[in-house]
Short mmCIF file of all heavy atoms in Angstrom, two decimals:
data_model
loop_
_atom_site.label_atom_id
_atom_site.label_comp_id
_atom_site.label_asym_id
_atom_site.label_seq_id
_atom_site.Cartn_x
_atom_site.Cartn_y
_atom_site.Cartn_z
N THR A 148 -13.63 7.03 -1.61
CA THR A 148 -14.81 6.99 -2.48
C THR A 148 -15.86 7.97 -1.98
O THR A 148 -16.12 8.01 -0.76
CB THR A 148 -15.42 5.58 -2.54
OG1 THR A 148 -14.46 4.68 -2.98
CG2 THR A 148 -16.69 5.52 -3.42
N PRO A 149 -16.49 8.80 -2.83
CA PRO A 149 -17.50 9.76 -2.36
C PRO A 149 -18.63 9.06 -1.66
O PRO A 149 -19.02 7.94 -1.95
CB PRO A 149 -18.00 10.39 -3.67
CG PRO A 149 -16.92 10.16 -4.66
CD PRO A 149 -16.24 8.88 -4.26
N ALA A 150 -19.16 9.74 -0.62
CA ALA A 150 -20.17 9.16 0.28
C ALA A 150 -21.36 8.56 -0.45
O ALA A 150 -21.90 7.53 -0.08
CB ALA A 150 -20.66 10.21 1.26
N LEU A 151 -21.83 9.20 -1.53
CA LEU A 151 -23.01 8.72 -2.29
C LEU A 151 -22.76 7.41 -3.01
O LEU A 151 -23.67 6.63 -3.32
CB LEU A 151 -23.47 9.75 -3.26
CG LEU A 151 -24.07 11.01 -2.67
CD1 LEU A 151 -24.38 12.03 -3.77
CD2 LEU A 151 -25.28 10.74 -1.82
N GLU A 152 -21.48 7.06 -3.28
CA GLU A 152 -21.14 5.90 -4.02
C GLU A 152 -20.49 4.80 -3.16
O GLU A 152 -20.18 3.69 -3.63
CB GLU A 152 -20.16 6.23 -5.18
CG GLU A 152 -20.72 7.23 -6.15
CD GLU A 152 -19.65 7.76 -7.10
OE1 GLU A 152 -18.57 7.13 -7.19
OE2 GLU A 152 -19.89 8.81 -7.70
N LYS A 153 -20.28 5.10 -1.90
CA LYS A 153 -19.51 4.20 -1.01
C LYS A 153 -20.24 2.85 -0.80
O LYS A 153 -21.42 2.85 -0.50
CB LYS A 153 -19.31 4.85 0.34
CG LYS A 153 -17.86 4.81 0.76
CD LYS A 153 -17.67 5.54 2.09
CE LYS A 153 -16.73 6.63 1.98
NZ LYS A 153 -15.36 6.40 1.97
N PRO A 154 -19.55 1.77 -0.94
CA PRO A 154 -20.13 0.42 -0.69
C PRO A 154 -20.25 0.25 0.86
O PRO A 154 -19.76 1.07 1.66
CB PRO A 154 -19.17 -0.56 -1.24
CG PRO A 154 -17.90 0.18 -1.32
CD PRO A 154 -18.21 1.64 -1.48
N PRO A 155 -20.85 -0.85 1.31
CA PRO A 155 -21.04 -1.02 2.75
C PRO A 155 -19.83 -1.18 3.60
O PRO A 155 -19.83 -0.94 4.79
CB PRO A 155 -21.89 -2.32 2.82
CG PRO A 155 -21.66 -3.00 1.51
CD PRO A 155 -21.35 -1.95 0.52
N GLU A 156 -18.70 -1.58 3.01
CA GLU A 156 -17.42 -1.73 3.76
C GLU A 156 -16.29 -1.02 3.04
O GLU A 156 -16.42 -0.72 1.85
CB GLU A 156 -17.14 -3.26 3.93
CG GLU A 156 -18.16 -4.01 4.67
CD GLU A 156 -18.28 -3.65 6.15
OE1 GLU A 156 -17.44 -2.94 6.67
OE2 GLU A 156 -19.26 -4.09 6.77
N ARG A 157 -15.18 -0.85 3.73
CA ARG A 157 -14.03 -0.14 3.13
C ARG A 157 -13.38 -0.92 2.02
O ARG A 157 -13.02 -0.37 0.96
CB ARG A 157 -13.01 0.19 4.21
CG ARG A 157 -11.83 0.89 3.63
CD ARG A 157 -10.84 1.33 4.69
NE ARG A 157 -9.65 1.81 4.04
CZ ARG A 157 -8.58 2.31 4.68
NH1 ARG A 157 -8.62 2.38 5.96
NH2 ARG A 157 -7.57 2.73 4.03
N TYR A 158 -13.14 -2.20 2.23
CA TYR A 158 -12.38 -2.98 1.26
C TYR A 158 -13.31 -3.84 0.41
O TYR A 158 -14.34 -4.35 0.87
CB TYR A 158 -11.38 -3.93 1.94
CG TYR A 158 -10.32 -3.16 2.73
CD1 TYR A 158 -10.35 -3.23 4.08
CD2 TYR A 158 -9.37 -2.41 2.09
CE1 TYR A 158 -9.36 -2.55 4.84
CE2 TYR A 158 -8.39 -1.73 2.78
CZ TYR A 158 -8.41 -1.80 4.18
OH TYR A 158 -7.46 -1.10 4.91
N GLU A 159 -12.93 -4.00 -0.85
CA GLU A 159 -13.66 -4.82 -1.75
C GLU A 159 -12.67 -5.71 -2.55
O GLU A 159 -11.80 -5.19 -3.24
CB GLU A 159 -14.45 -4.00 -2.75
CG GLU A 159 -15.29 -4.74 -3.78
CD GLU A 159 -16.00 -3.84 -4.65
OE1 GLU A 159 -15.86 -2.57 -4.66
OE2 GLU A 159 -16.81 -4.36 -5.46
N LEU A 160 -12.78 -7.04 -2.38
CA LEU A 160 -11.96 -7.93 -3.18
C LEU A 160 -12.78 -8.37 -4.39
O LEU A 160 -13.97 -8.69 -4.27
CB LEU A 160 -11.62 -9.22 -2.36
CG LEU A 160 -10.60 -9.00 -1.27
CD1 LEU A 160 -10.33 -10.31 -0.55
CD2 LEU A 160 -9.29 -8.50 -1.81
N VAL A 161 -12.15 -8.39 -5.53
CA VAL A 161 -12.82 -8.73 -6.79
C VAL A 161 -12.05 -9.89 -7.40
O VAL A 161 -10.88 -9.83 -7.67
CB VAL A 161 -12.89 -7.55 -7.76
CG1 VAL A 161 -13.66 -7.93 -9.02
CG2 VAL A 161 -13.51 -6.34 -7.10
#
Side-chain angles (χ1 to χ4, degrees):
T148 301
L151 293 175
E152 302 170 16
K153 231 178 239 282
E156 300 292 349
R157 177 173 174 180
Y158 298 111
E159 179 180 7
L160 287 180
V161 182

